[in-house]
Amino acid sequence: MSIINQMRLEFMGCPQNESFARVVISAFAVQLNPTIEEVSDIKTAVSEAVTNAIIHGYEGAQGTVVLSATINDQHILTVEVEDRGRGIADLEQAMQPFYTSHPELERSGMGFAVMQSFMDGLEVTSTVGEGTHIRMRKHFARDEK
């Protein structure tokens, strides 16, 4: 497999930029001729990843979120969201549905579950004090005529 296109964007980890990330990833993915449902899935998954970076990674402190994406010759979109925030102490627990480290914020604890259900693959790595890296994949079928 070879990469046929890629992008990388760094932005301030503030809530206003969550919608910016959604627009950017949908504009990048449009070259794969996605359905409206596929675009919605990608935007939702990216929204969850970026929101997690802002709320949990930086917890109100100033920080940078990195959004990158590649498209390969197999019509697979790979999206990565990274922060250099506090990291996740117990990744297994954090990935459980309904788990939230901030119940006072009325968060549902479904971020990772949403990412898993809307994308075809999810990998999360995190180191306490260094940050979190999320990699998601979505395969786009092509009509070969």
Side-chain angles (χ1 to χ4, degrees):
M1 286 186 277
S2 62
I3 293 174
I4 59 173
N5 201 357
Q6 64 185 7
M7 60 78 87
R8 180 180 168 91
L9 175 68
E10 293 185 24
F11 52 89
M12 186 180 294
C14 60
Q16 298 86 338
N17 285 334
E18 178 269 331
S19 60
F20 175 60
R22 290 170 56 94
V23 170
V24 168
I25 200 61
S26 61
F28 184 74
V30 81
Q31 63 196 290
L32 288 163
N33 197 26
T35 64
I36 292 173
E37 182 178 346
E38 288 169 328
V39 170
S40 180
D41 289 353
I42 295 163
K43 287 169 60 175
T44 300
V46 167
S47 179
E48 291 294 333
V50 169
T51 298
N52 278 355
I54 294 167
I55 291 175
H56 301 291
Y58 293 118
E59 293 197 327
Q62 195 72 269
T64 299
V65 176
V66 178
L67 171 66
S68 59
T70 60
I71 294 172
N72 70 25
D73 59 359
Q74 301 295 308
H75 313 293
I76 297 172
L77 171 70
T78 301
V79 179
E80 300 182 44
V81 177
E82 301 174 64
D83 69 68
R84 296 287 167 231
R86 57 183 230 138
I88 302 170
D90 188 340
L91 187 55
E92 186 176 329
Q93 180 184 39
M95 292 190 72
Q96 295 299 312
F98 303 110
Y99 173 79
T100 180
S101 60
H102 290 287
E104 74 281 2
L105 297 177
E106 299 181 16
R107 309 297 299 173
S108 69
M110 294 297 290
F112 288 126
V114 167
M115 289 179 235
Q116 285 176 316
S117 66
F118 287 168
M119 300 296 277
D120 297 324
L122 172 68
E123 300 164 22
V124 181
T125 57
S126 189
T127 303
V128 174
E130 294 182 20
T132 301
H133 180 254
I134 296 172
R135 176 179 290 131
M136 302 175 280
R137 286 178 309 286
K138 184 90 165 166
H139 182 263
F140 292 82
R142 291 283 195 206
D143 291 332
E144 303 296 333
K145 294 183 182 183

